[in-house]
Structures are given as structure tokens and as C-alpha cells.
Amino acid sequence: MLKERKVVWIVNDRKLKILAAVVDEYVRTGEPVGSKAISNLAHINVSAATIRNDMAALEQMGYLEQPHTSAGRIPTFLGYRLYIDELMTLPSLSDEEKSRLDAMLGDENTITEELLVQNAAAALTELTQCTAVITNSAPRFSVISKVEVIPTGKRVYVILLITSSGNIKNKACRLKFDLSHEQLEFFTHYIEENLSGISIDELSEETFDKMVAAMSTYMLTLSPLIKGIYELSADLRQEELTMSGEEKLFSCSEFDKMEVVRFIEHKNELTQMLDDTFSGIQVKFGAENDSFVIGNSSMIVSKYRKDGKEAGSLGVIGPMRVDYKKIIPYVEYLTQKISSIMSENNMIEENPDHIQTDEET
């Protein structure tokens, strides 16, 4: 849900009604809105002269702007913010719309978690004609369930790291010596004692340095394996932002193409902003955040959860002039549905990553 509405004292009810009408008309037509268009609306029962005065006052307050002297007015990001937080009434999705969304997600009894979220993003792109964004934060908040070291060849050992969220990471390490049965047994016991049940998010380079130092006579031989486990945990801590429908950003006439290019190149910098998102639907504007490099943009995003724990974020990026009344119910329904499916079903586990060797890093 959007944040609880607050009473707006600085703008009277009539001006608020006119602001909401301007936003709705501008979203619908894409053209600056004049007083005559507003006066023709059935629910606006005041003269065009009064509307002109109120629109001028709203412009002075920073909620509207006039792109050209002779043109009507359009909302500023402050106008959109006031509209979204205080004035907008969201419609409920029909049963037909919910059924369509469910079908676009796929069969919840056979689908993997990864494909479930990807399908939700593809559905958002198709239905909103905006770029969908996804982050997966579940690995960060999971704990280490098991670490195995498996000999696979002469001086080559595969580290298998399994987390409580079902993630499986593996990496091949080449050592200078073959490990004896005693060394392998010591390492397995040592890792289980020091890492089992530890949160991925709590692990640091300092933690692993202390572990290496504590290994005493085994340090030289086994430290490459400790380094390999650290690199796997670092991969799990690194959230990656993926997109569906990136081409929508480039085809949007309201975006500067070079800003879009810079955003695509540095898109993972947006993950911190998504991490700071609270529960429920959040609407963020490019003008409000330096990390969001596309001007005149907005992002509608919500977190999804698994077994009550944060698992990731799903949303869309588009121009400020998007149909919030249409998009927000879609994002809200899909994140709630994903959370429900992930929590109630035993999702099919993803296939383990291909074995990553030191030569690939």
C-alpha cells in the first residue's frame, strides 16, 4: 500500500481537486492542460476564471508549470508527489485482470523462483509499456547451510556452497599440493564450525583473514580454499539489477537518450535505492534522487518476500507521465502473488551454476 495520507493544509480542497484533474488529463492526453478543459469536467463545478486563478496559484506553489507562455499547464514532480500521496484513489483489479496476470506468471506448481519473477517482469513490460526492473536480495539474507570440498582432479578441488534460501554456488580451486585425508577432514570440520549458520550478509574480508590466520600450520595449504569461499559469498552479497524491456527507455520521447545510456551502464547503482525501499508500493522520481540519472522519470516499485523475509524488488521505470492508477495495482498484485507462491509452495530449485574455475576469475 502507499503510505498513509496526510492532511494538506497549504492547499484548499478546490485547488486539490483541480490539481488532481490536471494530472489525470495530462496523463490521458500528454498535452498541457488549460482551464477550459478542466471546466468541461462534470465534477468541477466552478468557472473557467476561478480555475485559471487556482492553476496560477498552484504554479506559484510549485505543483504546476507552464511549458510555454500560451500553453496550458503540466504537473511538476512535486505535483505528482502530492497527487500520488494525497489525492489518488486506486481502482481494484477485476477478477478477469487477476486471472490474466496469474496466467502470465505461469504454473505455480512447476515454475522456478527465478522464472516466476522474470515472468512477472515480462508481464509488467507488456501491460504498462514501461521497462521492468528486478532485484533479488534473498541470497544476502540467507545463511550458510553447507560447504563441501570435493576433489575433482590432480590438485583441483571444487567448493560447493549451499545457502538456506536454496542458492548453490560452486568454484574450482587449483592448489599447489594435493590434500591428504587428514587435511581435508580438518578443513571440512573447521569450515562447519566457523561458517555453518552464519548470515551471508555478515561475512567480510576481515572474517576470512582471521580464519586464515587461525589455521596455523594448515594456513599455506588451505588458504586458497578460504579465499574461494569468500569469493562465492561476495557473489551472493552482490545484488544485481536486471531489466525487462530496456528498449522502452530508448523509445520514450520524454527521456534524454544519453541519460538513458548512462543509466544502463551504471544500473546496478540503483540497487542501493531499491534496498532503501520500505514495505508496500513506493513511487520515486528522478528529480528526488541523485542515483536516478534519468531526468523526468519515475519508478514504481515494491518488495516481494519469501516466508516473511525480504526476497527482492519488482517494479517499472517510465516517464513521470505514466498512468499510476493503472500501474500501481499491477505492481502491488504481482509482488503479493510472488510472495504468496514463494512462501506456500516448495519451489523447484535452480540448477547449480556451472563450475567456475580460477582461470575464469
Side-chain angles (χ1 to χ4, degrees), residues 23-280:
V23 173
D24 288 337
E25 282 296 297
Y26 183 58
V27 166
R28 186 179 68 85
T29 67
E31 298 293 333
V33 181
S35 57
K36 183 177 180 180
I38 300 300
S39 67
N40 289 334
L41 299 175
H43 65 288
I44 304 293
N45 299 313
V46 294
S47 68
T50 300
I51 293 171
R52 278 195 298 274
N53 290 335
D54 284 346
M55 291 175 72
L58 287 166
E59 183 176 1
Q60 289 182 329
M61 295 175 187
Y63 296 119
L64 297 177
E65 63 182 347
Q66 196 170 23
H68 307 290
T69 305
S70 59
R73 290 173 174 85
I74 64 175
T76 64
F77 83 89
L78 289 175
Y80 280 115
R81 173 59 67 205
L82 181 58
Y83 172 82
I84 291 166
D85 291 349
E86 313 292 344
L87 307 176
M88 181 177 60
T89 300
L90 292 175
S92 299
L93 292 179
S94 67
D95 291 340
E96 182 180 349
E97 288 174 307
K98 291 178 181 178
S99 296
R100 183 186 181 190
L101 289 171
D102 291 346
M104 295 174 86
L105 286 177
D107 186 349
E108 63 185 72
N109 296 310
T110 59
I111 198 169
T112 64
E113 291 185 5
E114 182 180 4
L115 187 56
L116 176 69
V117 179
Q118 288 176 353
N119 286 351
L124 279 178
T125 298
E126 180 178 335
L127 294 170
T128 68
Q129 292 301 298
C130 294
T131 299
V133 292
I134 315 166
T135 63
N136 178 14
S137 55
R140 284 185 45 209
F141 298 102
S142 59
V143 300
I144 295 178
S145 299
K146 190 174 185 180
V147 178
E148 288 189 25
V149 178
I150 306 168
T152 59
K154 189 173 179 62
R155 300 195 301 276
V156 177
Y157 296 81
V158 171
I159 305 167
L160 194 66
L161 189 153
I162 304 172
T163 72
S164 59
S165 60
N167 285 85
I168 300 173
K169 286 282 187 179
N170 55 64
K171 179 180 176 65
C173 291
R174 187 176 300 276
L175 305 184
K176 293 182 178 180
F177 310 97
D178 282 316
L179 299 181
S180 66
H181 176 73
E182 177 190 7
Q183 290 171 323
L184 196 54
E185 192 174 68
F186 167 82
F187 184 78
T188 302
H189 177 74
Y190 182 76
I191 290 300
E192 182 178 347
E193 191 176 75
N194 286 274
L195 292 184
S196 183
I198 300 297
S199 169
I200 295 292
D201 211 33
E202 293 176 4
L203 296 176
S204 65
E205 188 172 2
E206 183 182 2
T207 301
F208 286 97
D209 286 343
K210 289 179 179 178
M211 289 177 62
V212 170
M215 286 167 55
S216 187
T217 55
Y218 289 109
M219 180 176 68
L220 182 62
T221 305
L222 298 177
S223 61
L225 296 179
I226 294 288
K227 180 185 177 185
I229 295 172
Y230 169 72
E231 290 172 352
L232 291 179
S233 67
D235 285 346
L236 289 169
R237 286 197 305 277
Q238 180 64 48
E239 282 188 62
E240 186 172 345
L241 184 141
T242 56
M243 295 184 181
S244 171
E246 286 184 8
E247 70 279 0
K248 305 295 184 186
L249 295 175
F250 289 100
S251 62
C252 180
S253 61
E254 298 174 52
F255 289 160
D256 180 281
K257 299 300 184 289
M258 289 308 300
E259 288 184 348
V260 171
V261 170
R262 286 196 295 272
F263 170 73
I264 297 294
E265 290 176 345
H266 303 284
K267 63 184 180 182
N268 282 331
E269 294 177 7
L270 196 63
T271 57
Q272 182 59 51
M273 191 167 83
L274 293 173
D275 280 348
D276 294 338
T277 300
F278 301 108
S279 297

